[in-house]
Amino acid sequence: MFRRVVRQSKFRHVFGQAVKNDQCYDDIRVSRVTWDSSFCAVNPKFVAIIVEASGGGAFLVLPLHKTGRIDKAYPTVCGHTGPVLDIDWCPHNDHVIASGSEDCTVMVWQVPENGLTSSMSEPVVVLEGHSKRVGIVTWHPTARNVLLSAGCDNLIIIWNVGTGEAMISLDDMHPDVIFSVSWSRNGSLICTACKDKKVRVIDPRNQQITAEKDKAHEGARPMRAIFLADGNVFTTGFSRMSERQLALWNPKNMDEPITVHEMDTSNGVLLPFYDPDTNVVYLCGKGDSSIRYFEITDEAPYVHYLNTFSSKEPQRGMGYMPKRGLDVNKCEIARFYKLHERKCEPIIMTVPRKVLRLHGGWDGALFIGTAF
């Protein structure tokens, strides 16, 4: 009986490649604030990077083509009175970006068509409702003008950005700091990771917790939780022995994980980036110099290690390009924007193509086809 030794996968040979120096964004003073967000947000037109700023908080918005050295006098978005902690581009409008800050506010900005020509300090709307710093902002994946924010006051607010009003406040569900919030694919549920070591699945419309798991990861360091396309929840965290872990959960039965993997003993928080089309999860550790990627399938062990992209410099943050901004003609399946101390470096993930040469026909004509 034939036994398959190597698991078949289209993505087994995915490889990462950093772009050349002249395609990087140089001389950027990346923020040094101690907060475990990605510090970078990307869409098909712009890359936004949280930067050091005196007397408040600011972030750069650069057109993707503006590579090379960035002038120190380049205009910034600088309306916050405290450091900016998180930024997120609107999925429905590539010129709209939201920012959350230590000044307890969320601001929504409209970036001009060709980028900034002068510094911008007037947001389109200011959303005020948090009593402590706002560390998480994330747009609804399917409904326009709906924005979620989470603060260190343990409060989650879902805003109608068009009117500037809070539609839903989830104020008694988290007794401690919220580490991460993720929308489900259709936006009907959210999952959260909290400092009390619980992962919760919440129905925001009914304001009910539909599932929760205590001590999803037993370590004290921050966890992350994201929804996958099939409705399962993927988490990263730390074991009691401070080993980094990843786990897969079914929200219908969270008593036991579908699978748990121990990784290493580094202490950087693992930021997960998920591609629902290929079912690949990329893990970028803060302070690491590598990106590990895994394929999620229905077969045991469910989370399959694919490969690691390694470089010399540690990453301060990471931006993840939406699928519509990729060059699919070059078999690109993901693009990351890695933040160094003074630089932003794009990293391209590619599925290699092999060219098959087939001889056939009476005249020995050469047929050339491409296949993965």
Side-chain angles (χ1 to χ4, degrees):
M1 188 175 126
F2 174 73
R3 183 171 172 270
R4 202 167 67 219
V5 179
V6 179
R7 189 182 66 89
Q8 276 191 327
S9 168
K10 290 177 188 170
F11 309 107
R12 204 171 75 229
H13 302 293
V14 169
F15 67 96
Q17 201 164 19
V19 301
K20 294 182 176 134
N21 267 340
D22 61 349
Q23 293 174 280
C24 295
Y25 307 85
D26 272 315
D27 218 12
I28 295 167
R29 293 178 304 151
V30 177
S31 174
R32 294 176 176 275
V33 68
T34 52
W35 185 254
D36 288 320
S37 75
S38 57
F39 288 175
C40 182
V42 197
N43 70 19
K45 291 185 178 176
F46 301 104
V47 54
I49 302 163
I50 302 174
V51 292
E52 284 282 284
S54 54
F59 57 94
L60 277 173
V61 175
L62 304 170
L64 284 188
H65 60 78
K66 187 170 173 49
T67 53
R69 187 176 171 277
I70 307 300
D71 196 292
K72 282 189 171 63
Y74 194 87
T76 59
V77 179
C78 54
H80 285 287
T81 56
V84 177
L85 301 178
D86 197 19
I87 48 177
D88 193 31
W89 287 105
C90 175
H92 304 101
N93 184 338
D94 285 340
H95 294 270
V96 172
I97 187 169
S99 58
S101 165
E102 268 189 22
D103 65 10
C104 310
T105 66
V106 176
M107 294 184 180
V108 178
W109 310 84
Q110 176 94 27
V111 177
E113 181 68 37
N114 298 315
L116 300 180
T117 52
S118 60
S119 286
M120 184 184 284
S121 57
E122 289 298 317
V124 178
V125 63
V126 181
L127 306 173
E128 295 176 310
H130 289 281
S131 58
K132 290 187 179 175
R133 61 184 181 168
V134 182
I136 298 167
V137 287
T138 176
W139 292 92
H140 193 285
T142 56
R144 202 180 178 105
N145 279 347
V146 177
L147 177 69
L148 179 149
S149 65
C152 290
D153 50 6
N154 314 335
L155 172 65
I156 292 176
I157 302 177
I158 298 173
W159 305 88
N160 179 341
V161 174
T163 62
E165 294 170 352
M167 295 189 292
I168 297 168
S169 290
L170 307 174
D171 53 2
D172 54 356
M173 294 185 176
H174 300 88
D176 216 324
V177 175
I178 300 161
F179 288 140
S180 78
V181 182
S182 167
W183 290 99
S184 61
R185 189 104 190 266
N186 62 7
S188 61
L189 299 170
I190 57 174
C191 73
T192 66
C194 180
K195 196 175 181 180
D196 67 356
K197 300 184 185 175
K198 283 189 181 181
V199 171
R200 295 170 174 85
V201 177
I202 299 168
D203 180 343
R205 289 179 185 79
N206 297 325
Q207 301 190 25
Q208 288 180 337
I209 297 172
T210 61
E212 67 179 347
K213 173 61 182 173
D214 192 17
K215 293 187 179 171
H217 297 277
E218 297 196 356
R221 290 189 55 72
M223 292 191 297
R224 285 283 185 281
I226 57 169
F227 265 115
L228 305 183
D230 60 4
N232 286 342
V233 173
F234 181 89
T235 61
T236 65
F238 293 80
S239 70
R240 195 183 294 154
M241 306 301 291
S242 292
E243 290 177 306
R244 293 201 290 195
Q245 292 180 320
L246 54 89
L248 194 60
W249 307 84
N250 181 348
K252 292 173 181 164
N253 179 13
M254 293 188 79
D255 294 337
E256 291 297 324
I258 298 170
T259 185
V260 179
H261 287 256
E262 251 92 33
M263 285 177 54
D264 55 26
T265 53
S266 180
N267 61 0
V269 175
L270 285 169
L271 305 176
F273 296 94
Y274 173 61
D275 179 357
D277 303 315
T278 59
N279 245 0
V280 174
V281 172
Y282 302 86
L283 298 183
C284 309
K286 278 208 133 182
D288 287 11
S289 54
S290 62
I291 301 171
R292 293 181 181 88
Y293 36 107
F294 299 80
E295 187 178 1
I296 314 251
T297 68
D298 298 332
E299 305 168 13
Y302 307 105
V303 179
H304 305 268
Y305 171 75
L306 290 175
N307 212 334
T308 300
F309 166 81
S310 295
S311 57
K312 291 176 185 172
E313 296 290 320
Q315 54 229 17
R316 297 279 297 279
M318 195 69 76
Y320 181 59
M321 176 66 83
K323 191 54 77 60
R324 58 201 171 85
L326 303 181
D327 187 350
V328 291
N329 291 327
K330 293 181 180 172
C331 301
E332 193 180 339
I333 63 163
R335 193 188 309 157
F336 291 92
Y337 286 72
K338 173 182 172 178
L339 299 187
H340 300 240
E341 202 162 327
R342 308 271 310 183
K343 179 169 92 167
C344 175
E345 176 187 42
I347 295 163
I348 292 166
M349 297 286 181
T350 309
V351 177
R353 257 188 175 161
K354 56 186 184 188
V355 178
L356 306 177
R357 293 181 179 272
L358 305 170
H359 290 273
W362 289 104
D363 58 356
L366 182 69
F367 296 95
I368 299 178
T370 57
F372 287 113

